[in-house]
Amino acid sequence: RVELQCHGGVFYMGGVGQDNVGDPLTPERFEASGEVDVHCESSFSAFCVSLMVSNKQFSEEVIERIPAILSGWLGGVDQLYLGKGCPEAMRNTLTVMPYTSKECCEAQFVTDRWGCLVGGQFNGRHQSLRKVVAGVECQPSKSDPGHWVAQCDTIPGNYEETSPGLCEEVNELPAGNSTGCSPGWLRTSQGIHLLCWADLFFTFALVWTSVASC
């Protein structure tokens, strides 16, 4: 289950790394089968020969690790960019509820057995958000003296107050763009280059040893 979100005219897919109650995905939730075929093209080296010999074991090991790889990757994803075209009318707008005290306003979200709200409006676990909300602060109401309402910029989802008691989602997300490579890619790329050089030298050493022993 995922959420379709709209931010600044762009569609995003949210809730990717969570299940329907907000818990993180685990490897046990995935099942992988099949085989992986990895081979070298137009190249002869010690690594390619060992890969060819152990291709079956290598395939089984990769298939076994796929659930852990997927759960680890999805667990670090908050939103996935889908594309532009989200209409302005789809921006989320909500009304904050007035409370007689700051403590009640910032209390945990609770409903009675009939589904009526008897606790705070935002803090706590929400089934719709699938995660525990914390840090929502309340302030004196500008339109209803003697009451407290949630502060829009502390509500999850990047909201701002457009009029007293009304919060609207902002057009721009605070997160940066996704251009460029992951911080870990440079280290991975260097490791691949070193592996290629090590394979080349090891192959030359095997050839030289074979020729010298003749």
Side-chain angles (χ1 to χ4, degrees), residues 177-189:
N177 58 44
S178 59
T179 58
C181 297
S182 166
W185 171 244
L186 180 61
R187 185 170 61 252
T188 302
S189 178

Side-chain angles (χ1 to χ4, degrees), residues 24-41:
L25 295 177
T26 58
E28 292 75 20
R29 301 291 186 92
F30 298 92
E31 182 177 346
S33 61
E35 61 181 19
V36 177
D37 183 23
V38 180
H39 60 277
C40 300
E41 292 186 0

Side-chain angles (χ1 to χ4, degrees), residues 93-200:
T93 303
L94 58 89
T95 303
V96 291
M97 296 178 57
Y99 288 82
T100 56
S101 69
K102 179 178 173 67
E103 291 74 22
C104 290
C105 181
E106 296 178 353
Q108 298 293 298
F109 178 88
V110 179
T111 58
D112 59 19
R113 59 178 180 173
W114 293 284
C116 298
L117 181 64
V118 294
Q121 188 178 2
F122 298 104
N123 285 318
R125 176 175 287 279
H126 295 252
Q127 188 173 13
S128 59
L129 291 179
R130 297 186 290 166
K131 62 181 178 181
V132 177
V133 177
V136 177
E137 301 177 358
C138 294
Q139 61 185 359
S141 174
K142 299 176 183 177
S143 58
D144 192 0
H147 289 80
W148 295 76
V149 295
Q151 192 173 323
C152 293
D153 57 3
T154 65
I155 297 174
N158 304 311
Y159 286 88
E160 63 181 357
E161 186 178 41
T162 54
S163 60
L166 188 67
C167 302
E168 189 174 274
E169 195 173 32
V170 299
N171 269 326
E172 299 297 331
L173 291 174
N177 58 44
S178 59
T179 58
C181 297
S182 166
W185 171 244
L186 180 61
R187 185 170 61 252
T188 302
S189 178
Q190 292 174 344
I192 293 175
H193 282 292
L194 290 176
L195 178 62
C196 292
W197 280 109
D199 179 42
L200 181 62

Side-chain angles (χ1 to χ4, degrees), residues 45-47 196-209:
S45 67
F47 177 77
C196 292
W197 280 109
D199 179 42
L200 181 62
F201 284 124
F202 185 65
T203 302
F204 281 151
L206 285 178
V207 174
W208 183 84
T209 303

Side-chain angles (χ1 to χ4, degrees), residues 17-87:
Q18 300 173 336
D19 60 13
N20 60 345
V21 296
D23 295 329
L25 295 177
T26 58
E28 292 75 20
R29 301 291 186 92
F30 298 92
E31 182 177 346
S33 61
E35 61 181 19
V36 177
D37 183 23
V38 180
H39 60 277
C40 300
E41 292 186 0
S42 304
S43 177
F44 177 79
S45 67
F47 177 77
C48 290
V49 172
S50 62
L51 183 63
M52 181 177 61
V53 172
S54 60
N55 189 56
K56 186 175 184 299
Q57 293 83 350
F58 179 80
S59 175
E60 293 174 350
E61 185 69 21
V62 171
I63 295 298
E64 183 180 350
R65 291 177 180 267
I66 284 179
I69 294 173
L70 283 176
S71 62
W73 174 68
L74 291 175
V77 176
D78 185 29
Q79 293 176 324
L80 288 177
Y81 173 87
L82 297 179
K84 298 180 179 180
C86 184

